[in-house]
Amino acid sequence: MSFLEYNVKYTPSGWRKILYLNWPLIVLVLAVAGVGFLMLTSVAGGRVDRWAEPQMQRFAMGFVLMVIVAMVPIWFWRNMSALAFAGSLVLLLLVEVVGTVGMGAQRWIDLGFMRLQPSELTKITLVMVLAAYYDWLDVARKSRPLFVLIPLCIIAVPVALTLRQPDLGTALLLLIGGSAVMFVAGVHWAYFAAVVAAGIGAVVAVFTTRGTPWQLLKDYQYRRIDTFLDPSNDPLGAGYHITQSQIALGSGGWTGRGFMEGTQSRLNFLPEKHTDFIFTTLAEEFGFVGAASLLTLYLLILVFCIAIAMASRDRYAALLVMGIAVAFFLYFAINMAMVMGLAPVVGVPLPLVSYGGSAMLVLMVAFGLVQSAHVHRPR
Amino acid sequence: MRRTPKDTEDSHRQIGRRSLFVGGLFVATSAVLSARMRYLQVERAEDFRLLAEENRINIRLLPPARGLIFDRNGVLVAANEQNYRITLVREDAGDIDAVLAQLSQIVALDMVTLERARTEIARRPPFVPVTIADRLSWAELSAVAVNAPALPGITPEVGLSRLYPMGADFSHVVGYVGPVSDYYLEQTGDTDPVLQIPDFQVGRYNIEARMEQLLRGRAGTKRVEVSAGGRVMREIDRDPPDPGADVQLTIDAGLQNYVEARLSGESAGAVVMDCQSGEILALASAPTFDPNLFVRGISSAAWNTLNTDRYRPLANKAIQGLYPPGSTYKMIVALAALEAGVITPEETVNCPGHLDVGDRRFHCWNRGGHGRVNLVESISQSCDVYYYELAQRVGIEAMSAMARRFGCAVRHDLPLSGIAEGLAPGMQWKMQNRGAAWVVGDSLNAAIGQGFVLASPLHLAVMTARLASGLDITPAIIRSIDGISQLPGRARDMGLDPGHLRLVQRGMWQVNNDRRGTAYSSRVDVADYAIAGKTGTSQVRNITAAERASGVISNADLPWERRDHALYVGYAPYDNPRYACSVIVEHGGGGSTMAAPIGRDILLRAQLGEVPPPDLYPASQRRDIERMHRDLPILPTPPVPTGRTVRSQA
């Protein structure tokens, strides 16, 4: 396959590309990141240097990275997809070997200047490789069992590796994100019905094997599920996070207590207040209005992504952008659902807001890919 | 592989449809999320706000009970006592002055206490509990507890505080604990959260410090629900603290007390050990001090008194003090010479009272000379000239090597603070540290334990134990930790010629039991308890030629600081060695007059397990001994607690 396959009539070149970026999307990303800096300052008790400042530095780094990625033609990224995926698998394997234990699970590779989380990287590269696969595949064959099995295998490898770490949240995200690309690519409905059925089967399997030597999850994961199902019977044991974050959320009311006035999140009731539970601080300090506004900002970002995907006449670009949109959606939806007691506590950050380097950089690269698809769309 | 336009168009439309479907799912999910948000934040806002305001959950650290320390018989030497105190959390108190005024009406608080509490409160973060007053009575604590609603931020607490029931006897072994200071945190880099507990105590000296991690234990936590006023509503759960490990020493508290008492009044150190197992039975340094003074932080007045005393009570002379071992070193030299084969037991050396080497004259302590002496006599009469002769034959390196085999100039591995290494010099050592070549005079001085040679009472006790048993024992002071034995296995043989060892032992027996022996007056008249030993007197000043000419000034006429150190090493019973001891009395005058009687009394006490009765002593000394024992500050033998698991309640 060569670049000539693309039927590009006109593409901006050089610095002119900057003008063709999707600027409304950039403004939205900046707005969400701004909310993040504000909340990180608040949870640090007004101190900017504790979390907000390093986060800003990483965001600036990520922003530059986004623009660079956006400047590179999308077909270059298409050709790189398989390589990038292979690379992230190697890193995932490396975590098994050299990963140091951080936050109770083996997830980091220490690069010296930052700690890289290969599972974050995999979320994007998996979408890339699947989009490239369907771009290559003859449309007529997309629903044939053999050609459905191939992407399933591609998804299964990183899912298995992240489950081993063990990182249930990321494994789920990979599974759902990967299936979403298959779905958008047009694989037959029946397969997805089968997957849902299998999913229910898996849940049953998870619960029936509990307590036996073959149990599929770790004990703490079972306990998290238990407390998710009924947080009230153990308000201060494992259900502590959920109960506390609900109290924090609930006490926000319509308009919240005001910036830096939150008491629940201030009093160290939540140990991960600056990472996974940062949404509670927002909801407590800015109330329903603030929380709903953030949700709206997120939805607007998705709207722009879907618009870009639908406008693109290139299958790789469209699938990639949709895949990224689904991954982004899963991030904030799972995080919010978890904080509000609608999903079990799994380690998923609030995108662009939670403190953390890997997730931020990977997201910015992903937005760079979206922008590249936009800039280099066939016109 | 080019796709046909139709194909692309078709799939493009399908991607569009499916994308819209996915977008629909996004919106639907977001709708559910915002509905939930609305439910929590709008409909149930009041409930949650109430929960947030009124029921705060506090996590409190529970201090672990510090491990107890027992002597070898189970006598408690470091215990924990309950300490009733009241603490204040600034954040919860609101108006501190009002609360303190309220509090002073319930508990008598003097101005100093209040002032100290105020500065402490101002210095600490608002959420950290600060101790206002401690060592309260139960009645006072109850009064505060009853009035708790009127005293926001005030909590009555029961803490644990270290108590040393044996007082000063064990300060040089067990050491003491003290409050956690900023300096301590900086020095150790210790980040254990337990250190944040108000009035937590950490080991600062000796075993308490060196075994801190074992003795400390692990902090527990409890979660309590607290009302808006700061009142504890209920305890939700509790992760009990793990107490520290209990440590049993090899020390015998009764013997330790006797040795400290016997040394009292002098500036001295002594070590008693089991010569078969290496267990240290007593390790004393006099004067001593009360470790209980340090538990809550010592007052500067008390500190100054201890620090300026010229007998240096804070120094542990038994392990930190280094002294020229004097004549107690002669057994080492004799064994080195015998092993090197440079002397036979029968060979005699003539002692005219001095020996000229080059242009220097080396004197024997006996100015008249000992005449012809053989090896055994050289020990019992402590003839210096004999050893000047041996030094020239065997050389310094062999002497120092033998010293190291006997545990001198070795830093013994005991959990005590500041153990000194000692020194057995060599040619290389002198070149490196003094920048001069070794001369034969240095060897002569070393042969009588003077010059560069340095040893502590611990070194000399280990040496004596090895001389007595011929076993390569290692000193030990920890018998068991939480009931698990820490003693080393049976010691190996030292690999010395048994004949050589017997000769030296014979010489040591004569020191105490031969009419001409230097410690004959410190003999034991009952054969079963017979002791063998060696005296030593080590100079701390140079005797000038002029002084020699006009007659050496006697110790009694010298100022205390310039008098000779008195030393004695010995073991008993002679036939079946069991106990070894070493005694050093700083500036005590002569070894035979000052140190040997102490050594004999200690060895008798060790053998009998009680204060020795007068009839074991030579008839002429019995009255004096009886009087001395009556006047000694000996404690009644403390009761042995039943069971090893006695603990104060946390």
Side-chain angles (χ1 to χ4, degrees):
Chain A
M1 270 189 288
S2 75
F3 299 165
L4 296 174
E5 181 189 329
Y6 281 82
N7 185 17
V8 178
K9 295 194 183 82
Y10 168 71
T11 303
S13 59
W15 292 105
R16 284 174 56 81
K17 283 183 181 179
I18 299 226
L19 293 175
Y20 284 82
L21 289 172
N22 192 331
W23 283 99
L25 184 58
I26 290 178
V27 170
L28 284 170
V29 168
L30 280 170
V32 174
V35 171
F37 304 147
L38 208 61
M39 292 337 293
L40 287 175
T41 311
S42 175
V43 289
R47 279 176 55 195
V48 177
D49 57 324
R50 184 134 180 232
W51 290 312
E53 210 173 272
Q55 182 84 340
M56 283 183 205
Q57 285 163 4
R58 277 186 292 222
F59 180 75
M61 207 163 115
F63 194 86
V64 172
L65 216 56
M66 176 182 85
V67 175
I68 293 171
V69 171
M71 297 293 98
V72 177
I74 188 71
W75 47 84
F76 173 80
W77 295 120
R78 202 263 326 264
N79 294 346
M80 293 302 291
S81 297
L83 203 64
F85 181 66
S88 56
L89 284 189
V90 168
L91 286 179
L92 268 181
L93 278 169
L94 215 62
V95 186
E96 292 282 323
V97 188
V98 298
T100 48
V101 174
M103 311 295 286
Q106 255 198 359
R107 297 173 191 178
W108 311 106
I109 288 180
D110 209 328
L111 293 182
F113 66 95
M114 69 171 287
R115 294 206 285 181
L116 180 73
Q117 230 175 326
S119 57
E120 292 289 339
L121 203 60
T122 315
K123 284 172 197 161
I124 301 305
T125 56
L126 178 65
V127 169
M128 284 171 81
V129 79
L130 288 172
Y133 169 80
Y134 281 106
D135 186 51
W136 161 83
L137 188 68
D138 187 354
V139 181
R141 299 159 116 181
K142 63 181 185 266
S143 289
R144 292 200 188 156
L146 177 67
F147 295 99
V148 171
L149 200 63
I150 292 170
L152 281 181
C153 292
I154 293 175
I155 296 171
V157 175
V159 167
L161 284 174
T162 43
L163 268 181
R164 262 188 66 86
Q165 284 186 359
D167 185 352
L168 187 61
T170 305
L172 267 174
L173 244 64
L174 287 172
L175 193 67
I176 302 176
S179 328
V181 175
M182 291 174 71
F183 176 76
V184 176
V187 176
H188 200 277
W189 287 100
Y191 287 107
F192 295 96
V195 167
V196 170
I200 293 167
V203 169
V204 173
V206 159
F207 279 96
T208 48
T209 57
R210 181 175 191 176
T212 68
W214 306 279
Q215 67 180 29
L216 295 170
L217 301 181
K218 300 236 162 161
D219 282 340
Y220 80 91
Q221 291 169 326
Y222 278 113
R223 276 198 300 276
R224 280 179 176 184
I225 294 171
D226 279 352
T227 50
F228 159 63
L229 293 174
D230 190 5
S232 58
N233 69 0
D234 185 18
L236 287 140
Y240 182 74
H241 286 181
I242 295 174
T243 316
Q244 289 305 322
S245 78
Q246 282 192 35
I247 291 177
L249 266 166
S251 61
W254 260 109
T255 52
R257 292 164 179 265
F259 182 54
M260 308 252 299
E261 298 294 323
T263 58
Q264 281 288 298
S265 25
R266 180 82 5 84
L267 288 170
N268 292 324
F269 283 120
L270 296 166
E272 295 182 44
K273 58 188 178 185
H274 64 294
T275 57
D276 294 356
F277 281 87
I278 194 155
F279 185 67
T280 55
T281 310
L282 175 87
E284 191 186 10
E285 298 189 351
F286 296 107
F288 178 69
V289 173
S293 303
L294 183 67
L295 187 60
T296 311
L297 284 177
Y298 279 140
L299 275 179
L300 280 174
I301 289 179
L302 291 179
V303 166
F304 274 91
C305 286
I306 294 174
I308 290 169
M310 288 178 67
S312 177
R313 316 268 323 160
D314 173 48
R315 209 137 59 108
Y316 175 75
L319 291 177
L320 177 68
V321 172
M322 276 314 290
I324 288 170
V326 170
F328 185 74
F329 168 77
L330 287 173
Y331 264 120
F332 76 77
I334 291 181
N335 179 277
M336 286 184 179
M338 161 182 101
V339 164
M340 288 190 269
L342 288 175
V345 177
V346 287
V348 175
L350 193 62
L352 299 174
V353 177
S354 283
Y355 182 80
S358 289
M360 170 73 93
L361 286 180
V362 167
L363 267 173
M364 293 310 283
V365 168
F367 282 118
L369 291 171
V370 173
Q371 293 285 2
S372 173
H374 181 72
V375 172
H376 304 97
R377 67 185 183 276
R379 283 162 228 259
Chain B
M1 287 279 281
R2 285 181 74 96
R3 290 176 226 122
T4 63
K6 186 175 179 300
D7 231 342
T8 314
E9 191 60 34
D10 227 21
S11 67
H12 175 69
R13 250 183 291 150
Q14 189 181 33
I15 286 174
R17 275 199 310 276
R18 294 241 171 148
S19 294
L20 278 179
F21 181 82
V22 170
L25 284 181
F26 289 173
V27 173
T29 316
S30 299
V32 171
L33 287 176
S34 52
R36 173 76 174 177
M37 226 183 282
R38 213 190 93 85
Y39 167 73
L40 290 176
Q41 295 198 275
V42 180
E43 278 163 40
R44 293 200 52 198
E46 285 307 304
D47 308 351
F48 282 124
R49 190 156 282 193
L50 222 66
L51 275 176
E53 296 291 327
E54 298 220 328
N55 290 312
R56 291 190 186 164
I57 285 104
N58 280 4
I59 297 176
R60 299 201 174 162
L61 280 176
L62 300 171
R66 197 172 173 82
L68 303 178
I69 303 178
F70 301 92
D71 92 327
R72 64 183 297 114
N73 301 313
V75 175
L76 200 53
V77 296
N80 299 318
E81 63 170 349
Q82 288 188 332
N83 172 21
Y84 301 122
R85 59 170 185 244
I86 39 182
T87 59
L88 179 141
V89 178
R90 199 209 310 168
E91 202 173 49
D92 300 338
D95 184 353
I96 291 167
D97 290 322
V99 172
L100 288 182
Q102 196 82 49
L103 185 65
S104 346
Q105 290 179 358
I106 299 164
V107 186
L109 297 172
D110 54 40
M111 290 313 289
V112 183
T113 315
L114 283 174
E115 208 37 60
R116 208 184 47 206
R118 277 205 185 85
T119 34
E120 189 71 5
I121 290 166
R123 214 165 63 86
R124 299 275 176 179
F127 53 86
V128 169
V130 171
T131 304
I132 303 290
D134 64 354
R135 315 256 154 182
L136 298 175
S137 68
W138 174 245
E140 287 173 312
L141 191 82
S142 314
V144 174
V146 167
N147 288 292
L151 298 165
I154 293 278
T155 317
E157 283 181 1
V158 185
L160 289 176
S161 183
R162 203 60 152 168
L163 177 74
Y164 299 104
M166 304 291 290
D169 283 352
F170 278 84
S171 52
H172 290 299
V173 178
V174 168
Y176 49 81
V177 297
V180 183
S181 62
D182 294 341
Y183 176 76
Y184 175 85
L185 292 175
E186 214 172 279
Q187 282 284 301
T188 55
D190 197 334
T191 54
D192 191 336
V194 81
L195 298 178
Q196 301 299 328
I197 295 175
D199 296 325
F200 193 75
Q201 293 163 342
V202 285
R204 304 306 300 272
Y205 188 55
N206 278 343
I207 288 178
E208 291 274 30
R210 295 285 309 275
M211 300 184 74
E212 170 65 20
Q213 294 307 323
L214 267 170
L215 289 166
R216 181 186 293 171
R218 187 191 61 85
T221 51
K222 78 173 170 189
R223 279 202 276 238
V224 287
E225 206 174 292
V226 201
S227 73
R231 185 142 36 133
V232 176
M233 304 301 286
R234 67 188 177 106
E235 185 177 308
I236 292 149
D237 64 357
R238 169 190 281 259
D239 169 22
D242 292 339
D246 289 347
V247 171
Q248 188 180 31
L249 307 176
T250 59
I251 304 282
D252 178 331
L255 183 64
Q256 174 79 8
N257 173 249
Y258 180 85
V259 177
E260 281 288 4
R262 189 68 184 81
L263 295 181
S264 63
E266 300 294 338
S267 174
V271 175
V272 184
M273 64 197 292
D274 185 315
C275 28
Q276 305 293 329
S277 67
E279 288 173 84
I280 296 175
L281 303 170
L283 190 148
S285 176
T288 178
F289 59 90
D290 185 357
N292 292 305
L293 287 176
F294 286 82
V295 169
R296 279 194 295 159
I298 189 167
S299 71
S300 59
W303 171 255
N304 282 334
T305 312
L306 287 175
N307 221 9
T308 52
D309 191 321
R310 70 171 180 168
Y311 279 14
R312 303 186 330 276
L314 295 172
N316 189 347
K317 285 141 200 157
I319 54 165
Q320 296 167 353
L322 286 179
Y323 309 88
S327 302
T328 58
Y329 204 60
K330 284 175 179 165
M331 287 79 81
I332 300 283
V333 181
L335 282 171
L338 284 169
E339 187 156 81
V342 294
I343 188 126
T344 60
E346 300 76 28
E347 189 178 338
T348 57
V349 170
N350 183 40
C351 169
H354 58 81
L355 181 71
D356 293 321
V357 178
D359 55 356
R360 271 190 72 188
R361 172 163 286 195
F362 290 83
H363 292 272
C364 184
W365 68 270
N366 186 342
R367 299 205 66 203
H370 290 97
R372 299 208 74 87
V373 290
N374 65 16
L375 188 126
V376 171
E377 288 162 344
S378 78
I379 292 176
S380 67
Q381 295 167 36
S382 201
C383 174
D384 291 341
V385 169
Y386 184 89
Y387 289 92
Y388 294 150
E389 180 62 35
L390 288 199
Q392 292 178 72
R393 292 192 195 173
V394 72
I396 185 64
E397 303 299 345
M399 276 154 44
S400 289
M402 186 57 77
R404 276 186 281 272
R405 278 172 75 182
F406 275 90
C408 296
V410 172
R411 199 186 303 278
H412 291 292
D413 183 24
L414 295 174
L416 300 173
S417 300
I419 295 182
E421 188 177 338
L423 180 62
M427 296 177 187
Q428 206 188 348
W429 173 87
K430 192 183 176 192
M431 192 48 91
Q432 276 167 6
N433 293 275
R434 292 287 186 275
W438 190 265
V439 294
V440 70
D442 294 331
S443 298
L444 266 58
N445 277 328
I448 59 162
Q450 296 276 165
F452 300 121
V453 185
L454 288 173
S456 68
L458 175 65
H459 289 129
L460 296 181
V462 172
M463 175 191 83
T464 312
R466 291 183 185 175
L467 280 171
S469 64
L471 296 174
D472 193 23
I473 52 96
T474 331
I477 202 160
I478 305 299
R479 193 174 166 85
S480 67
I481 294 172
D482 264 346
I484 298 160
S485 173
Q486 305 290 313
L487 293 176
R490 192 171 160 73
R492 285 176 300 112
D493 193 87
M494 284 194 69
L496 288 163
D497 185 325
H500 296 168
L501 213 49
R502 264 200 301 281
L503 275 169
V504 170
Q505 288 166 350
R506 186 75 200 153
M508 291 176 77
W509 184 83
Q510 285 194 3
V511 167
N512 277 91
N513 299 287
D514 186 88
R515 259 174 208 293
R516 290 194 296 167
T518 54
Y520 179 65
S521 61
S522 298
R523 66 196 176 275
V524 173
D525 271 355
V526 180
D528 287 351
Y529 300 112
I531 63 175
K534 181 77 194 78
T535 58
T537 304
S538 70
Q539 271 169 227
V540 290
R541 66 201 177 100
N542 285 319
I543 298 173
T544 58
E547 189 186 326
R548 268 191 211 286
S550 62
V552 177
I553 306 169
S554 86
N555 272 303
D557 297 335
L558 281 167
W560 180 76
E561 301 83 24
R562 290 173 51 86
R563 290 180 200 163
D564 297 335
H565 293 318
L567 294 92
Y568 177 80
V569 300
Y571 65 89
Y574 173 71
D575 302 320
N576 179 25
R578 178 76 201 282
Y579 303 100
C581 91
S582 65
V583 179
I584 288 182
V585 181
E586 282 188 346
H587 310 294
S592 47
T593 53
M594 180 51 109
I598 298 178
R600 170 185 59 178
D601 292 349
I602 291 173
L603 285 172
L604 276 177
R605 169 66 179 77
Q607 293 179 83
L608 290 160
E610 59 179 21
V611 175
D615 50 341
L616 293 179
Y617 291 86
S620 61
Q621 301 171 13
R622 284 177 192 164
R623 260 193 30 224
D624 291 343
I625 291 287
E626 204 167 4
R627 189 180 315 118
M628 179 204 74
H629 275 149
R630 208 173 43 234
D631 295 344
L632 277 190
I634 297 172
L635 294 173
T637 312
V640 173
T642 47
R644 186 59 26 83
T645 52
V646 235
R647 275 191 181 286
S648 305
Q649 290 301 304

